């Protein structure tokens, strides 16, 4: 008996998420923005930030720590900047609003920065860079997150995984860097634990701040190491980048920051800070896309150590994943995920998510 | 017999560098900007980028691959941006010019970006962030450099150590991140070699792209690993950051990029790309400095793993170093450095650098 492999078309995942959000009182326009965000994460292969987080988002809507219909509002602006109050709305709605504004301003004056406070978790940071790229801008984005990173020399977490994204290029050729400033996010520890494998030294620490190779210990402590790992391997740089992200997002916007950011999923309002920068390459040296493609090409053409593993640029793994999803006609979720979606459909009294057998 | 320790006052180092530059034909205004740059590097403890590089700069002036009197010129601009032709002048002169312009624009519209091509090595990136901070702006800076970094999975160098700097805060309390996007710069390998120590895995590779623990092997190959080290430790993020820096500097400006950047010190024109961003916090949420100090304080107050090593924020080690220099009345250079300065003085027929015995 061969195992049955199920796939769910992207538009069905989208429909399911929209229905879930509407069932908990979200207006259609915002439910659609939210669904697009989660589906894009899964489509790009960032499963930790897609359907996997749907129940968490629904729980913070139900416990009223996030208002899914709140409209973001501009509080102050110049021709090149804006300060936005997210009004505790959906992070994906706040993010889209802010990057839209940033793009309009960058089209006018070349570069712009829009920062929001009163926001919530906004999904993958990369989606906002992609939003800018669709409008021929370079997009940069920062968000602070709940404190789970040990600063170098510390034994308590003081900063978040504080991701940043950077995207440049057009549909033909592009680079999209979307990274946490910790070595890895918690999801990678979960995977290692499930496989019964140890983790490399440089990922996480035990409760006393000593490096561990046991994923369970790292998950229990909630103490991740910054990119670079320990001090002698440059971990102070990853820690510095995490601090940079918090200054860019939390400190400019006036949101929560550092240890003041509550854990995701609780009853407390998150009040996250997020910053969106758009840059219009047309105001600088002509020929931006040509030079970019040339640079990406020369890096990809670097002789690889192992001929079966070519050098990739950030965004290439996602492109490969999307092509695979397209060829198989949809997303393949693990069984746990399908079961929890089925339960959610029942609970919210909506049509379950339909899947099809992969042929 | 106790060893005699020599110190050189900052203003004497400055005088010596100015005289050297003038001796090779540099006009006084630019010689002073250049000297200020190198002295600041040493004062902050970044000895690799200070007096240590003076002979290299002089050699590229003498071999005419850099024109020390060239004036940077604005080619295009908007209220928030500018494209500058460095005209192959001194990097420190181009950098100061660009950040000055960026600050003026940021004061007007909140954020600005100035990018230069036709530039040369500009010293420590942090100095331009500090320049912005003195004018109450946040300063960000990027430069591309000669290719000595292996992209993840590659066995050839394709990108530079491509540093970035980020600085925020006032004289009272500040954060200054000034980092290469490799785990370490070549200078750290030299120090390990001199001490006869091995290097941690994650710093450098041999000629085939395999990680080495022998500093000599890493120096010979010129193949440094990106921040994070190998792929499983997040090295692809450091590599992605290096690419980000090259896009921000080389691709926006139209300078050399990637493997096209020649090695420093040769006869070829460098044509480096550098980008300077200034942000005026006053156009965002009021109270920026207070929040920043609060965040820096809460991170510094994180319980340390080892009570004798408190948690620092980027810029603190430099502050500690500067206080030490002040208390001892000047800089302590290694004997090699003093000897080469003495030879240089003789060669250029200028007054040698005077030092004093530390009491």
């Amino acid at each position: 008996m061969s195992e049955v492999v199920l796939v769910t078309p992207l538009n069905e995942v989208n429909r399911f998420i929209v229905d879930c959000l509407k069932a908990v009182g979200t207006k259609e326009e915002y439910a659609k923005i939210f669904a697009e965000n989660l589906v894009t994460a899964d489509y790009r292969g960032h499963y930790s930030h897609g359907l996997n987080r749907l129940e968490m988002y629904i729980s913070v809507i139900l416990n009223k720590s996030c208002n899914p219909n709140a409209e973001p509002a501009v509080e102050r602006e110049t021709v090149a900047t804006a300060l936005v109050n997210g009004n505790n709305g959906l992070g994906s709605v706040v993010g889209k609003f802010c990057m839209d504004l940033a793009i309009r301003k960058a089209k006018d004056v070349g570069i712009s920065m829009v920062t929001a406070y009163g926001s919530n978790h906004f999904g993958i940071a990369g989606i906002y860079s992609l939003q800018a790229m669709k409008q021929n801008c370079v997009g940069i984005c920062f968000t602070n997150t709940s404190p789970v990173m040990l600063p170098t020399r510390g034994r308590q977490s003081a900063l978040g995984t504080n991701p940043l994204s950077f995207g440049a290029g057009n549909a033909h050729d592009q680079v999209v860097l979307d990274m946490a400033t910790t070595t890895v996010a918690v999801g990678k520890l979960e995977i290692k634990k499930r496989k019964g494998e140890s983790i490399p030294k440089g990922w996480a620490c035990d409760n006393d701040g000593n490096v561990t190779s046991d994923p369970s210990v790292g998950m229990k402590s909630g103490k991740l190491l910054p990119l670079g790992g320990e001090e002698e391997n440059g971990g102070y740089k990853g820690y510095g980048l995490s601090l940079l992200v918090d200054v860019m997002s939390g400190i400019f916007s006036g949101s929560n920051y550092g240890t003041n950011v509550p854990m995701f999923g609780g009853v407390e309002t998150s009040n996250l800070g997020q910053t969106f920068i758009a840059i219009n390459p047309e105001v600088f040296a002509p020929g931006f896309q040509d030079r970019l493609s040339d640079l990406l090409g020369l890096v990809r053409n670097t002789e690889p150590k192992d001929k079966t593993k070519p050098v990739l640029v950030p965004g290439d793994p996602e492109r490969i994943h999307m092509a695979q999803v397209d060829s198989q006609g949809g997303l393949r979720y693990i069984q746990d995920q399908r079961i929890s979606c089925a339960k959610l459909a029942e609970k919210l009294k909506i049509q379950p998510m339909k899947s099809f057998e992969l042929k």
Side-chain angles (χ1 to χ4, degrees), chain A residues 138-295:
Chain A
V138 168
I140 303 174
C141 168
F142 308 96
T143 183
N144 58 16
T145 62
S146 319
V148 293
M149 176 199 278
L150 287 183
T152 300
R153 301 187 178 182
R155 53 175 282 176
Q156 293 173 313
S157 293
L159 295 164
T161 57
N162 293 1
L164 63 88
S165 79
F166 172 82
N170 59 21
H172 172 67
D173 201 10
Q174 55 183 232
V175 52
V176 184
L177 179 68
D178 182 356
M179 56 173 265
T181 49
T182 42
T183 301
V184 293
V186 177
K188 289 220 175 173
L189 269 65
E190 288 168 3
I191 293 165
K192 284 286 189 182
K193 187 187 167 188
R194 210 179 301 142
K195 289 183 178 171
E197 292 175 4
S198 62
I199 54 174
K201 294 196 169 183
W203 286 25
C205 289
D206 66 17
N207 209 35
D208 296 322
N210 301 308
V211 176
T212 183
S213 54
D214 182 342
S216 311
V217 169
M219 286 170 65
K220 205 173 155 191
S221 74
K223 293 180 177 176
L224 298 176
L225 279 164
L227 173 61
E230 294 191 274
E231 187 168 359
E232 70 164 13
N233 275 322
Y236 56 93
K237 296 184 179 183
Y239 150 52
L241 289 168
S242 174
L243 197 50
L244 177 161
V245 171
D246 211 352
V247 175
M248 286 303 296
S249 51
I251 304 304
F252 269 111
S253 69
S255 69
N256 276 331
Y257 50 81
T259 49
N260 304 325
V261 179
M263 286 299 166
F264 185 27
V267 294
E268 219 178 321
T269 300
S270 290
N271 186 17
L272 296 186
Q274 287 149 359
T275 288
F276 306 82
I277 292 174
I279 311 172
N280 176 8
E282 287 189 6
V283 304
F284 299 101
F288 178 86
Q289 181 66 41
D290 289 345
R291 282 191 302 280
L292 179 67
S293 291
D294 186 49
L295 173 62

Side-chain angles (χ1 to χ4, degrees), chain A residues 30-45:
Chain A
Y30 287 1
K32 281 181 174 171
I33 292 170
F34 176 88
E36 174 73 16
N37 182 298
L38 266 62
V39 172
T40 302
D42 285 346
Y43 186 35
R44 294 180 69 79

Side-chain angles (χ1 to χ4, degrees), chain A residues 30 64-75 84-91 93-94 97-98 116-120 269-272:
Chain A
Y30 287 1
K64 306 219 184 295
S65 63
C66 168
N67 172 5
N69 294 319
E71 288 178 28
V74 176
E75 283 199 346
V84 167
N85 181 348
N87 284 317
N88 196 30
L90 291 168
V93 169
V94 175
F97 174 89
C98 290
Y117 70 99
S119 189
N120 282 287
T269 300
S270 290
N271 186 17
L272 296 186

